[in-house]
Amino acid sequence: MAATFDHGGGVRSLRVPIPDNPLGFTLVYVVDTDRGPVLVDTGWDDPASMDALVDGLAGCGTAVSEVHGVVITHHHPDHHGLSGQVREESGAWVAMHAADASIVRRARETRAERWYTYMADKLAAAGAPEEHIAPMRTARRRTLPGLSPALPDREIVPGEFLDLPGRRLRAIWTPGHTPGHVCLHLEEEHPAGLPGHGRLFSGDHLLPEISPHIGLYEDPDDTTVTDPLGDYLDSLERVGRLAPAEVLPAHQYPFTDAPSRVRELLTHHEARLTGLLTLLATPLTPWQLAERMEWNRPWEQIPYGSRTIAVSEAESHLRRLVKLGRAEAVPGSDPVTYAAT
């Protein structure tokens, strides 16, 4: 039987494993409603993960076939992966913010070759070496989770209550980790009487020990220059002001004192931006900056796919510095380099 935990007040959680990932598992929350259980996220699309979800729901005294609805905090495969299977077995609705729904639609409709070409061009512009880019120029579509994610059939509208009969669950738009990431504020008294305002299902936006990845989600056909780190910092402050009694995140473990954790993350990002300015005393491409940034292991040990993600994070930090007037692109550089102002 999969591990389940009763958080009180008709909310339980279960652990759905993420294959070959140091995070280990996604916490899927089961919220009782007058029409049956509603899931907050579903976990990774993998047979072992589905087995864990089935066992976990049985441990909660219910089953996949009983699920009334699925609320997705964001489109990543460790959150949205099993949504399609749950809907097939139960007839449940699946709800997601419009910005992430458009990413899901794009993933389903864009030919793999178009993505590989686009990514190769982006990496070349970021100063990636040819040996990193070459595999993308010859790549063929492989079966990977997230390439055909389920299309949601309901839209999560920020500021509005979700359709959970007998519950008060309000959507809070918290872009940054993804453009359509939402936290879900259960505006009900805490079952253990903890001080604060209800409980917050925080997805990946607010985690007790991890700072979530802030990268770029670009539409190959859209030239808008986004600022995901700025979005993340703004939405962090908004969640801090909610002051929930308890945070129920999608990874690790529940915790209290959200404002304190928000302050830690704001301080962490300010320190990181300041550190990057020191590196940018010499003009660097986004790739060169990523090579020099601090990660959870030395650059030489970071695997291929994670290097692409790291460069995306370096670019999101560069955009924030440029927007703040603390760095600028060096005119005439190709690939473009950035320097502190």
Side-chain angles (χ1 to χ4, degrees):
M1 189 65 73
T4 61
F5 187 82
D6 189 345
H7 299 271
V11 176
R12 297 174 182 82
S13 64
L14 46 107
R15 296 181 172 194
V16 177
I18 312 170
D20 305 318
N21 189 296
L23 277 174
F25 55 86
T26 301
L27 286 169
V28 171
Y29 292 93
V30 185
V31 182
D32 293 340
T33 80
D34 293 346
R35 296 247 188 94
V38 168
L39 304 184
V40 176
D41 292 330
T42 56
W44 191 272
D45 184 5
D46 179 83
S49 306
M50 186 64 184
D51 289 346
L53 182 64
V54 169
D55 289 349
L57 287 170
C60 294
T62 187
V64 173
S65 60
E66 301 295 314
V67 172
H68 170 61
V70 176
V71 185
I72 299 299
T73 59
H74 62 297
H75 73 85
H76 285 165
D78 55 323
H79 298 258
H80 182 45
L82 289 170
S83 302
Q85 284 192 60
V86 171
R87 180 166 59 193
E88 282 172 27
E89 291 193 26
S90 64
W93 47 260
V94 176
M96 184 185 287
H97 186 281
D100 271 23
S102 72
I103 293 173
V104 168
R105 200 168 291 111
R106 217 158 58 224
R108 293 170 63 92
E109 293 173 359
T110 305
R111 289 184 309 109
E113 293 75 16
R114 171 89 171 93
W115 275 114
Y116 286 131
T117 302
Y118 171 71
M119 285 301 301
D121 292 346
K122 284 277 293 180
L123 284 160
E130 184 54 36
E131 63 264 23
H132 185 87
I133 302 169
M136 291 191 184
R137 300 204 192 281
T138 56
R140 294 290 171 264
R141 187 184 181 105
R142 292 168 294 159
T143 304
L144 290 172
L147 283 180
S148 291
L151 274 174
D153 44 74
R154 288 194 182 184
E155 183 179 327
I156 295 175
V157 180
E160 292 191 3
F161 286 116
L162 280 89
D163 182 20
L164 273 61
R167 309 304 301 242
R168 293 173 57 82
L169 188 67
R170 192 186 300 275
I172 312 293
W173 184 34
T174 49
H177 181 56
T178 71
H181 191 292
V182 291
C183 292
L184 303 151
H185 191 202
L186 192 60
E187 296 183 1
E188 301 169 9
E189 202 166 308
H190 192 281
L194 294 182
H197 303 104
R199 292 183 279 182
L200 187 75
F201 299 102
S202 66
D204 284 0
H205 182 68
L206 192 62
L207 301 169
E209 296 175 6
I210 299 169
S211 176
H213 166 67
I214 310 297
L216 303 177
Y217 286 91
E218 308 285 27
D219 181 342
D221 302 314
D222 187 350
T223 56
T224 307
V225 178
T226 58
D227 177 23
L229 181 54
D231 293 340
Y232 177 68
L233 299 175
D234 288 347
S235 49
L236 257 188
E237 292 189 14
R238 201 159 62 247
V239 162
R241 288 194 294 272
L242 282 177
E246 187 177 23
V247 178
L248 304 176
H251 303 288
Q252 301 189 303
Y253 52 84
F255 60 102
T256 56
D257 199 358
S260 173
R261 180 61 182 141
V262 165
R263 284 194 298 274
E264 284 178 6
L265 285 163
L266 292 172
T267 301
H268 160 78
H269 281 286
E270 183 54 41
R272 197 173 199 198
L273 288 169
T274 301
L276 297 189
L277 287 174
T278 305
L279 294 174
L280 292 171
T282 305
L284 299 172
T285 65
W287 180 276
Q288 290 169 332
L289 183 63
E291 285 180 315
R292 291 160 175 77
M293 287 170 72
E294 275 191 36
W295 304 104
N296 59 1
R297 66 191 100 170
W299 183 258
E300 300 72 38
Q301 295 174 22
I302 294 177
Y304 176 86
S306 298
R307 289 189 179 191
T308 299
I309 293 169
V311 175
S312 177
E313 180 136 342
E315 285 204 66
S316 69
H317 280 73
L318 280 168
R319 287 190 184 185
R320 177 94 288 246
L321 289 169
V322 169
K323 192 164 184 179
L324 292 170
R326 295 161 76 178
E328 62 186 8
V330 176
S333 54
D334 184 23
V336 64
T337 60
Y338 294 82
T341 54

